[in-house]
Amino acid sequence: MSIILDQFTRVLVQGITGKEGSFWTKHMIDYGTNVVAGVTPGREGQYAAGVPVFHTVERAVRNIPVDASLLFVPPRFAKEALFEALDAGIKKVVILCDGIPLHDALQMRKAAIDAGAMVIGGNTSGIISMGQAMMGFFPYWLERVYRPGRIGIMTRSGSLTNEVTAEVVRAGFGASSLIGIGGDPVPLTRFAEVLPLFQADPNTDAVVLIGELGGTMEEEVAEAIEKKIFTKPLVAFLGGRTAPKGKKMGHAGAIITAGKGTVQDKMLALRNAGALVAERPRQVGTLLESILTSKI
Amino acid sequence: MKLFEYQAKELFEQIEIPVPNRTFIKGLEGMAEAAGQIGFPCVLKAQVLQGGRGKAGLIKLVSNIEEASNQAESIFSKAKNMSGLLIEEAIQIEKELYVSITADPVTGKAMMMACSEGGMDIEEIAKDIPERIHKIYIDLSKGIQPYQVRGLLYEMGIDEKLIGQGTKILQDLYNVFRTYEAELVEINPLIVTKDGKLIAGDGKVSIDDNALFRHPQFKATEAYYENDAEYEAAEEGIPYIQFDGEIGLMCAGAGLTNTVFDLVNDYGGKVANYLEFGGPNYRKAKKAMDIMMKNDIKILLIVTFGTIARADVMAEGIVEAIKELNPPFPIVAAIRGTGEEKAHELLRSAGIEPLIDTEEAVKKAIALSGGVKQ
């Protein structure tokens, strides 16, 4: 089992005929993902990666039932593409692109809340339910990283996720679902909104959170643990503990401003709530070993 | 992209937010004439992007031409990365207020914050007495409503006579936020003058970098960056930060870069600089190496674990850079992810041992940089 996505989820790909869209759609299908259709204006009647292409999302869903949509569109078109998916009634959307304008992201977050939809991204590799399906780009052939198991993983980062997940696997564990909520300052789904899904999933024994400096999402996770919304073990690793204040370290989401959003604040909040916090990626594996008896 | 105060005030003026009379000069020439036009007393304000200008002696009240010349000279010699000097009429201050607008990622709305005690100590107030900061949330699709702003001003407890002006200014500030797609707009202080008017004493506007393609009038120059390497990296779209240690960090992905930064510090090393060539920059290894060579680093530590940012493409760029640029420092590399087998072959061909383990790479780099620093 898994959350959000499994091998039965009927996936639409918006922007399927683009270079990245067609390349990764093939990989998604190879991995087992149930990709049922694609959308590219002007290309209806054609096939891409073996699935039919439609002019609009509305025309696609009228012909083929769809559960989720994956957006392979440039950041400046992400808002419109999301609105198109939501207007067609799709309730699960994954947006991969990096660089969505902030004011667009705000309107997208508001629209997702109003539609009662789960919209993941942007600035993410996507989501993968190990051994079943993926929406996004993951080098699933790297066995050192992508191994099925019972650990839920949620992350704000891409390359750090590979680093930490490799440590989870090194310790003998594997992942149920890996949810990349993305590195933007306005993630369209927040960590604390993913937690209830992992809580409800009988095949997830514990969650690994990969966070970083900036924002308040890790603090919200601490609150969810305190309020017993999430009661399974949680191991967190946060990058940027020694980052100097006031420096913008990479991600737009990773900005430290006076006294707020520092990694120290977040680590303290998580520890006070009862989460285990790793100081280094390697410790994520050893902390999991210390609390879980069954590995796979 | 942060704007300088003089630019923020130009935007305010266009949208009819009251601002003081002022002149902007780029150098000392024309100072006397400009100050004469504004009249005395006037205020000299260094146009730099850093905060705390008052405490750094970069804002001076002057009462005659001689004082103005001396202080202007001192400011020009003291300030770094200064775009120029703003000469502004001195305002008779009754009270200082605070107002700002930012994005609220939780609700997906704009958040306006205001406080009746503005000025230099706003951060302490926000920390110690947060209930004095009043907030309203604005739905971008509805826009700002006058009743929201009136409500905010009444909560702040400001004088009834200022409600009309205040409502207009705060709505106009929201228009600046929306029109230029800012990530932050701030007026601190929003001055209540002795004669009962509101006027923007300072102005901060930071435009969302991801929206700059819709606002091509804003173009960053060297004055926006702390040093040449940062400017050159920014021109390429490469995140770069300067520190003062020995180990140059070239990593892919902000999360991993921050983590390697932590590991170097934990194991007793010192970071010289931080360059991120992941995401869309993974084909720019050569340019990245070129920027690293502008610094006096003892060792270069490269750590990546890429997905789309293919390991083989990055390794190819690095090997090419080594051949063409001949960097004077040793290189420690842990390049993993998509295409890593080929990446490792490439590194070996250039005489670099490909490492798999991040911690091992960090420790090796520290040892080569001269060991643990006290």
Side-chain angles (χ1 to χ4, degrees), chain A residues 37-85:
Chain A
V39 170
T40 298
R43 298 288 190 92
E44 191 162 304
Q46 298 181 10
Y47 281 76
V51 301
V53 180
F54 296 87
H55 290 318
T56 67
V57 176
E58 205 274 328
R59 291 169 75 93
V61 302
R62 213 191 300 155
N63 284 281
I64 294 173
V66 164
D67 303 307
S69 184
L70 174 66
L71 270 52
F72 271 107
V73 298
R76 64 180 70 185
F77 302 125
K79 181 174 82 170
E80 188 207 341
L82 171 64
F83 287 177
E84 187 181 357

Side-chain angles (χ1 to χ4, degrees), chain B residues 48-61:
Chain B
V48 292
L49 293 174
Q50 82 209 47
R53 285 181 299 172
K55 285 172 189 162
L58 297 178
I59 295 183
K60 291 287 176 193
L61 179 72

Side-chain angles (χ1 to χ4, degrees), chain B residues 255-270:
Chain B
L256 185 59
T257 314
N258 284 331
T259 300
V260 175
F261 186 89
D262 289 344
L263 287 170
V264 170
N265 284 327
D266 283 353
Y267 286 118
K270 282 251 167 31

Side-chain angles (χ1 to χ4, degrees), chain A residues 100-104 106 109-110 137 139 144 159-160 162-163 170 213 240-242 248-249 251 280 282, chain B residues 106 108 139 177-178 182 208 214 252 254 256 259 261-262 265-267 274 305 307-308 336 340 357-358:
Chain A
I100 299 174
L102 177 70
H103 286 223
D104 287 0
L106 284 175
R109 165 82 179 158
K110 180 72 170 48
F137 17 70
R144 209 166 78 245
S159 51
L160 179 58
N162 288 334
E163 177 82 30
R170 185 205 291 265
L213 64 171
R241 180 164 36 84
T242 59
K248 196 167 175 172
M249 304 272 283
H251 282 168
R280 292 189 277 282
R282 175 109 350 129
Chain B
V106 178
D139 181 343
F177 177 76
R178 285 291 287 141
D208 170 26
R214 291 195 280 239
L256 185 59
T259 300
F261 186 89
D262 289 344
N265 284 327
D266 283 353
Y267 286 118
Y274 161 128
F305 209 142
T307 300
I308 301 215
R336 289 104 6 115
E340 66 182 22
D357 188 87
T358 302

Side-chain angles (χ1 to χ4, degrees), chain B residues 329-349:
Chain B
F329 38 73
I331 296 171
V332 174
I335 298 177
R336 289 104 6 115
T338 311
E340 66 182 22
E341 300 79 8
K342 196 180 161 207
H344 294 169
E345 264 174 48
L346 284 162
L347 289 176
R348 279 193 204 98
S349 77

Side-chain angles (χ1 to χ4, degrees), chain B residues 284-328:
Chain B
K284 295 183 184 166
K286 208 175 106 191
K287 185 71 209 172
M289 185 76 79
D290 189 35
I291 294 167
M292 293 313 267
M293 286 174 64
K294 295 207 183 320
N295 290 274
D296 185 22
I297 59 174
K298 287 203 178 135
I299 174 105
L300 177 62
L301 172 59
I302 304 173
V303 182
T304 76
F305 209 142
T307 300
I308 301 215
R310 296 179 60 97
D312 50 344
V313 175
M314 291 193 278
E316 209 178 317
I318 289 159
V319 170
E320 211 176 289
I322 293 170
K323 275 185 195 149
E324 282 183 34
L325 305 173
N326 199 16

Side-chain angles (χ1 to χ4, degrees), chain B residues 219-235:
Chain B
K219 175 93 182 74
T221 59
E222 277 175 279
Y224 290 80
Y225 299 95
E226 284 184 23
N227 55 57
D228 292 351
E230 260 181 41
Y231 174 60
E232 199 176 313
E235 287 282 286

Side-chain angles (χ1 to χ4, degrees), chain B residues 23-314:
Chain B
T23 306
F24 171 71
I25 54 168
K26 285 196 168 166
L28 280 169
E29 317 75 59
M31 214 285 301
E33 197 190 343
Q37 273 170 11
I38 298 296
F40 293 99
C42 64
V43 187
L44 308 181
K45 304 169 96 175
Q47 296 301 290
V48 292
L49 293 174
Q50 82 209 47
R53 285 181 299 172
K55 285 172 189 162
L58 297 178
I59 295 183
K60 291 287 176 193
L61 179 72
V62 294
S63 49
N64 57 53
I65 191 77
E66 199 186 356
E67 212 181 325
S69 300
N70 291 339
Q71 291 294 359
E73 240 171 79
S74 134
I75 289 173
F76 269 100
S77 65
K78 231 183 327 195
K80 280 184 195 149
N81 301 310
M82 182 162 135
S83 63
L85 189 71
L86 193 64
I87 304 169
E88 202 169 79
E89 67 170 311
I91 304 289
Q92 298 293 310
I93 299 172
E94 174 71 32
K95 192 172 169 50
E96 294 185 324
L97 314 175
Y98 172 89
V99 59
S100 68
I101 308 173
T102 53
D104 178 47
V106 178
T107 59
K109 295 179 179 180
M111 178 173 72
M112 181 182 278
M113 289 194 285
C115 180
S116 60
E117 290 152 84
M120 293 209 274
D121 299 324
I122 187 69
E123 278 177 24
E124 275 77 60
I125 293 174
K127 214 165 69 186
D128 301 337
I129 0 177
E131 62 275 13
R132 294 217 186 134
I133 311 270
H134 301 279
K135 294 173 186 168
I136 56 171
Y137 294 86
I138 304 138
D139 181 343
L140 269 51
S141 64
K142 289 183 188 159
I144 194 164
Q145 303 298 319
Y147 81 85
Q148 294 184 289
V149 181
R150 277 196 301 274
L152 181 70
L153 292 166
Y154 282 117
E155 287 299 318
M156 286 165 71
I158 75 166
D159 195 324
E160 180 70 38
K161 289 196 288 280
L162 296 170
I163 298 283
Q165 295 176 51
T167 306
K168 178 162 188 318
I169 289 172
L170 267 48
Q171 282 179 275
D172 287 344
L173 188 64
Y174 176 76
N175 290 336
V176 174
F177 177 76
R178 285 291 287 141
T179 305
Y180 300 103
E181 297 190 71
E183 51 188 15
L184 166 77
V185 294
E186 182 182 84
I187 305 177
N188 185 36
L190 175 60
I191 296 171
V192 181
T193 63
K194 295 261 188 221
D195 55 353
K197 293 213 170 70
L198 287 170
I199 188 164
D202 194 359
K204 273 204 184 72
V205 173
S206 180
I207 310 287
D208 170 26
D209 288 340
N210 289 338
L212 281 174
F213 70 92
R214 291 195 280 239
H215 308 280
Q217 69 270 42
F218 302 111
K219 175 93 182 74
T221 59
E222 277 175 279
Y224 290 80
Y225 299 95
E226 284 184 23
N227 55 57
D228 292 351
E230 260 181 41
Y231 174 60
E232 199 176 313
E235 287 282 286
E236 290 286 332
I238 298 173
Y240 176 92
I241 304 174
Q242 185 89 43
F243 299 98
D244 55 3
E246 288 89 27
I247 301 172
L249 274 192
M250 211 167 109
C251 301
L256 185 59
T257 314
N258 284 331
T259 300
V260 175
F261 186 89
D262 289 344
L263 287 170
V264 170
N265 284 327
D266 283 353
Y267 286 118
K270 282 251 167 31
V271 174
N273 52 19
Y274 161 128
L275 181 149
E276 198 207 314
F277 75 126
N281 295 320
Y282 77 95
R283 294 176 187 280
K284 295 183 184 166
K286 208 175 106 191
K287 185 71 209 172
M289 185 76 79
D290 189 35
I291 294 167
M292 293 313 267
M293 286 174 64
K294 295 207 183 320
N295 290 274
D296 185 22
I297 59 174
K298 287 203 178 135
I299 174 105
L300 177 62
L301 172 59
I302 304 173
V303 182
T304 76
F305 209 142
T307 300
I308 301 215
R310 296 179 60 97
D312 50 344
V313 175
M314 291 193 278

